[in-house]
Amino acid sequence: MSTFKIWLEAARPKTLPLAIACILSGSAVAAQTSAFSLSITLLALVTALLLQILSNLANDYGDAVKGTDNEDRLGPKRAIQQGLVTPKSMKNAMVFNVFLTILAGGALVFTAFDKPTDILSFIGLGALAIVAAICYTVGNKPYGYQGLGDLSVLIFFGWLGVAGTFYLQTGGLATAVLLPATACGLLAVGVLNINNLRDIDNDRACGKHTLVVRMGPKWGRIYHQALLIGSYACFTAFATMEQLSAVGWIFVLAIPLAIKHGLAVWHSRNGETLRPMMGDMVKVALLTNTLFAAGILLQ
């Protein structure tokens, strides 16, 4: 493979729609209040994408170093695992990514805010996001190996991603925005859950105690259904509270796809049958958030 293709695959582009989804939903809800800036939206999108790529590179490095990326892992082969990239090169790529993230995040914060308190607060949140992206699998006690990955995804792809984007656009925070923020986060957790269900046996053997490893495969599948139901319940609650017109409910058009996916996960027998379902879950998340955002903008 060419060098470009190697690094493109290391960035795991199939997972990047999750970053797009949270920025899209947060910006749409902000536009509902007549507070919308295209420049802030684009800078937020670039920053979110860079943070997710950083997390993907760090996962490649961390799981390879710890031996979790081995022949028993059912997920897509990663760059270090295949010998396409050395650990040192991956660390250098992470450092370069952090530099780009700081540039994009700094431009975002100084474009969005004038108040020193807001600037300092979001610089702190940005630093926390960078640390969280790296420490999921890297370090002596990565939190992803302690079953805290689901909470982290809910926070960064949900509450911070959506509500944070809303704050960047409006300079304030409305309680109602926490509903789509939670919904978006739960769908993102669903993607992680598929990944963890797929590799539950190998993760358990390698000492990676994900939430699914702790609860077991049966409860992991029940948990997946709860994530899907909880997400649509939050979107429905927001549409009801905000008294959206019929077009604001078009996110329900994604429900049949979500039901089909949920049933497939429920009836899956093992990790092998779950292989293609992470991509399906990403599609459910992106379609739902896109329809939700479109419904808001068309009000």
Side-chain angles (χ1 to χ4, degrees):
M1 287 193 295
S2 66
T3 301
F4 173 78
K5 188 174 181 180
I6 289 171
W7 286 108
L8 179 63
E9 291 193 3
R12 298 177 66 193
K14 291 182 179 180
T15 67
L16 299 184
L18 297 178
I20 298 172
C22 64
I23 303 303
L24 193 62
S25 290
S27 295
V29 178
Q32 189 185 24
T33 67
S34 300
F36 176 80
S37 166
L38 180 59
S39 60
I40 290 175
T41 299
L42 292 176
L43 285 170
L45 182 58
V46 171
T47 304
L49 287 170
L50 286 170
L51 282 168
Q52 188 171 359
I53 292 171
L54 175 61
S55 178
N56 291 340
L57 297 179
N59 290 347
D60 196 313
Y61 175 83
D63 282 338
V65 170
K66 290 176 173 57
T68 308
D69 281 350
N70 53 44
E71 292 303 318
D72 295 324
R73 181 177 178 272
L74 295 176
K77 301 296 183 184
R78 289 172 172 166
I80 296 178
Q81 181 184 9
Q82 296 180 79
L84 300 174
V85 173
T86 65
K88 182 179 180 181
S89 294
M90 188 61 74
K91 287 178 71 175
N92 290 338
M94 289 162 58
V95 171
F96 181 63
N97 185 287
V98 169
F99 173 72
L100 293 179
T101 304
I102 291 173
L103 286 181
L108 170 62
V109 169
F110 285 101
T111 298
F113 301 126
D114 294 319
K115 297 179 182 178
T117 52
D118 285 337
I119 292 173
L120 291 175
S121 296
F122 270 78
I123 287 176
L125 288 172
L128 180 63
I130 290 173
V131 171
I134 295 172
C135 293
Y136 178 71
T137 58
V138 176
N140 294 328
K141 292 184 178 181
Y143 65 87
Y145 279 64
Q146 309 303 318
L148 297 174
D150 298 61
L151 178 60
S152 175
V153 168
L154 176 60
I155 291 171
F156 288 102
F157 287 93
W159 299 334
L160 184 57
V162 177
T165 299
F166 179 87
Y167 192 97
L168 285 162
Q169 297 274 10
T170 65
L173 191 62
T175 304
V177 76
L178 294 178
L179 286 168
T182 301
C184 185
L186 291 176
L187 291 174
V189 174
V191 175
L192 176 63
N193 190 54
I194 291 293
N195 183 78
N196 292 340
L197 270 172
R198 182 195 63 208
D199 291 316
I200 185 172
D201 293 330
N202 186 56
D203 286 346
R204 183 187 295 112
C206 294
K208 188 175 183 178
H209 302 297
T210 62
L211 189 58
V212 166
V213 167
R214 294 180 182 276
M215 69 172 65
K218 180 180 178 180
W219 280 104
R221 285 167 171 78
I222 294 173
Y223 171 57
H224 196 75
Q225 312 308 313
L227 292 172
L228 291 170
I229 294 170
S231 175
Y232 288 102
C234 287
F235 278 130
T236 298
F238 178 83
T240 302
M241 287 177 57
E242 296 297 304
Q243 299 181 333
L244 300 183
S245 64
V247 72
W249 287 80
I250 61 173
F251 65 86
V252 301
L253 296 177
I255 290 180
L257 182 62
I259 292 174
K260 180 181 178 181
H261 167 75
L263 289 173
V265 172
W266 180 254
H267 292 296
S268 63
R269 296 180 178 273
N270 50 46
E272 190 67 37
T273 59
L274 285 163
R275 275 194 186 206
M277 295 184 194
M278 190 178 80
D280 294 339
M281 185 62 222
V282 172
K283 292 175 184 177
V284 169
L286 181 60
L287 177 61
T288 304
N289 281 281
T290 300
L291 289 173
F292 170 75
I296 294 293
L297 295 174
L298 292 172
Q299 287 293 302

